[in-house]
Amino acid sequence: MSAATIVVDGAAVVTVDRERREFGIGHVVVQGNKLVAVGAGPAPAYDGARVIDGRGCLVTPGFVNTHQHLYQWVTRGLAADATLFGWLTTLYPVWAGIDEDAVHVGAQAALARLARTGCSTAADHHYVFPREGGDLLGAEILAAQEIGLRFHPSRGSMDLGQKDGGLPPDSVVEDREEILIATEAAIDRWHDPAPDSMLRMVVAPCSPFSVTGELMREAAELARRKGVRLHTHLAETLDEGEWCQQKFGWTPLEYAADLGWTGSDVWFAHGIHFDDAEIKQLGQMATGVAHCPSSNARLGAGIARVADLRAAGVPVGLGVDGAASNEAGSLVEELRHALLFARARGGPQALGVRAALELATVGGARVLGRENEIGSLETGKLADLAMWRLDTLAHAGIADPVAALVLGTPPPLELLLVNGTPVVEHDTVVTVDEESLATRVTAVQQALVAQAG
């Protein structure tokens, strides 16, 4: 591990640590992949250090994205005015054509965009595995390594096709036994449980309407035997609730709980339509929720009860969701949308600017089970940080830097360090050529749409 020293000096610093310390003028010091000093005033002198002038900037922990479908970056803009079920039935035939190249290009682009918007750790839910697609999980893992983000990929799955009453076409569903074998093999091949891990696997059958109960139960047993976390979509739309009631006689959460899908090692994407008793249950079980406000609004799914979830002790993080339902793919924008939608639902004090920042940092870290390693700026934690420029016309004059970040337009990202290594500098991703990548994205999308007819 490199012992290079990087000193960020003269910036406003919001640590989001347990004491919620903030410094109007402060410093952060990184050695190798760890934070070794965070405090007020000028930084101590370090021989041979790279010193970064932080004046006019705000330093925050790197953001944590708790739900995404990276491959969807190459299928954006389709079914723009559809409901969730209509959107899915439109997109499934397009997704049926993805292969290693499409997934690699889509993942590179989506991860580069996440990096540009302050994200240092990304959780991805990949569940579409066409039989002739190749090594799709390996393609996105390679992309994350190339971009340089900390990565939590999910080996997703679907085994309930249209012929059996599910939504996905039969061409993209898999046999339950082959899913479980492939999932265990992926964990054995890639999962790294080390405290400074850049790659941790997740087990993630897609959703109640695309997966059998047998797969859900056996996937939970597999994940717990291997010591990895569990993730799925749940309670995203009213349609889903009606479907579960008709098919099983239960709410989506009752169905998931019966299959072993609650506990501190589980988190659900969306979680919009939980009632009071279910929110209390989630808090008691420490089961997490990935809040995806932009995607939920794009599909008209509703607004998650974030204030109530947090009050009940539920771990809540932010997610951009798939780029086919959130074409921006910008994690920093989710802070503002989470705040605005919470206030639209619950009044002006439902969610504060610092609470919104917590969702993107310590909240997301807790959802992924990594609150002791990332999510705040504290000595001994991993060196994942974002430095935002707030002295341009868009933000100048806003005295509170957290309000400027959350309520203003997305500011330029001056620096993103992941594991102590620069990924973004001067609002440019330094690990990939964005212009050539954009050209490749266009070519892949055109080919997929043409292939799907």
Side-chain angles (χ1 to χ4, degrees):
M1 182 65 63
S2 169
T5 301
I6 298 175
V7 178
V8 178
D9 206 12
V13 179
V14 178
T15 66
V16 205
D17 64 7
R18 286 182 176 83
E19 292 76 35
R20 299 300 190 259
R21 294 179 303 153
E22 299 183 11
F23 309 113
I25 299 177
H27 63 271
V28 179
V29 181
V30 171
Q31 284 186 337
N33 72 338
K34 295 289 181 66
L35 298 169
V36 297
V38 181
Y46 290 83
D47 290 340
R50 177 188 175 188
V51 179
I52 296 173
D53 185 355
R55 288 176 296 177
C57 296
L58 169 67
V59 178
T60 69
F63 293 166
V64 179
N65 180 37
T66 60
H67 184 67
Q68 166 72 300
H69 309 294
L70 296 174
Y71 74 94
Q72 290 183 13
W73 195 270
V74 291
T75 62
R76 291 185 298 164
L78 305 177
D81 300 320
T83 63
L84 174 64
F85 279 21
W87 175 84
L88 283 170
T89 54
T90 300
L91 270 295
Y92 274 136
V94 182
W95 296 337
I98 62 173
D99 58 14
E100 283 185 48
D101 181 62
V103 170
H104 182 248
V105 170
Q108 273 197 327
L111 290 165
R113 183 59 181 159
L114 285 171
R116 278 278 299 278
T117 62
C119 178
S120 54
T121 299
D124 186 61
H125 188 183
H126 190 94
Y127 56 85
V128 179
F129 290 90
R131 294 193 178 277
E132 304 302 321
D135 186 3
L136 304 188
L137 201 57
E140 69 167 19
I141 288 172
L142 175 61
Q145 293 168 343
E146 291 166 339
I147 299 298
L149 295 196
R150 204 175 298 282
F151 198 36
H152 285 230
S154 299
R155 206 305 178 175
S157 52
M158 298 186 292
D159 71 335
L160 187 63
Q162 289 176 342
K163 68 179 176 61
D164 297 317
L167 277 181
D170 296 322
S171 62
V172 296
V173 300
E174 302 172 276
D175 174 76
R176 182 168 79 253
E177 188 61 29
E178 69 182 6
I179 288 169
L180 294 168
I181 291 171
T183 302
E184 184 164 7
I187 297 168
D188 292 341
R189 179 181 177 186
W190 282 304
H191 182 65
D192 178 8
D196 60 353
S197 171
M198 292 290 288
L199 179 60
R200 290 189 181 172
M201 292 300 303
V202 179
V203 175
C206 182
S207 65
F209 46 82
S210 59
V211 172
T212 61
E214 292 83 0
L215 177 57
M216 290 285 285
R217 192 182 301 279
E218 292 181 42
E221 293 169 356
L222 169 63
R224 288 173 176 135
R225 176 165 57 84
K226 303 298 287 188
V228 302
R229 298 178 82 77
L230 286 157
H231 181 50
T232 193
H233 299 89
L234 203 74
E236 183 177 1
T237 67
L238 293 172
D239 288 347
E240 176 192 335
E242 293 168 1
W243 190 89
C244 285
Q245 284 286 359
Q246 291 172 4
K247 191 170 181 67
F248 309 116
W250 284 331
T251 69
L253 182 58
E254 288 171 336
Y255 176 60
D258 182 68
L259 296 171
W261 275 73
T262 54
S264 60
D265 58 349
V266 177
W267 87 99
F268 299 128
H270 307 299
I272 298 169
H273 300 287
F274 292 133
D275 63 24
D276 291 346
E278 290 177 324
I279 289 175
K280 181 179 180 181
Q281 178 186 354
L282 291 169
Q284 291 171 340
M285 299 291 290
T287 303
V289 170
H291 177 40
C292 306
S294 297
S295 173
N296 296 158
R298 202 276 210 186
L299 292 170
I303 301 173
R305 298 170 58 184
V306 173
D308 295 334
L309 290 164
R310 283 167 50 87
V314 178
V316 182
L318 292 180
V320 301
D321 203 5
S325 65
N326 176 6
E327 280 74 3
S330 167
L331 192 51
V332 70
E333 291 184 31
E334 299 304 318
L335 280 72
R336 185 168 185 258
H337 292 166
L339 180 145
L340 295 179
F341 297 160
R343 293 185 182 187
R345 180 183 187 111
Q349 295 185 319
L351 195 71
V353 293
R354 282 163 177 77
L357 181 60
E358 290 171 9
L359 292 174
T361 53
V362 291
R366 186 181 174 204
V367 165
L368 298 186
R370 303 197 70 169
E371 62 268 38
N372 294 326
E373 305 160 66
I374 60 174
S376 61
L377 300 177
E378 300 178 67
T379 301
K381 280 199 167 184
L382 296 174
D384 294 1
L385 64 84
M387 187 169 80
W388 308 89
R389 181 152 294 285
L390 299 178
D391 57 359
T392 66
L393 180 60
H395 301 89
I398 303 178
D400 180 355
V402 179
L405 175 66
V406 175
L407 296 177
T409 58
L413 184 61
E414 191 68 17
L415 177 70
L416 179 71
L417 295 183
V418 183
N419 216 42
T421 299
V423 174
V424 176
E425 296 197 60
H426 310 303
D427 212 28
T428 301
V429 179
V430 298
T431 53
V432 69
D433 182 339
E434 293 184 55
E435 186 174 341
S436 64
L437 182 55
T439 301
R440 292 165 61 205
V441 166
T442 300
V444 170
Q445 178 167 36
Q446 289 174 346
L448 285 172
V449 171
Q451 180 177 331

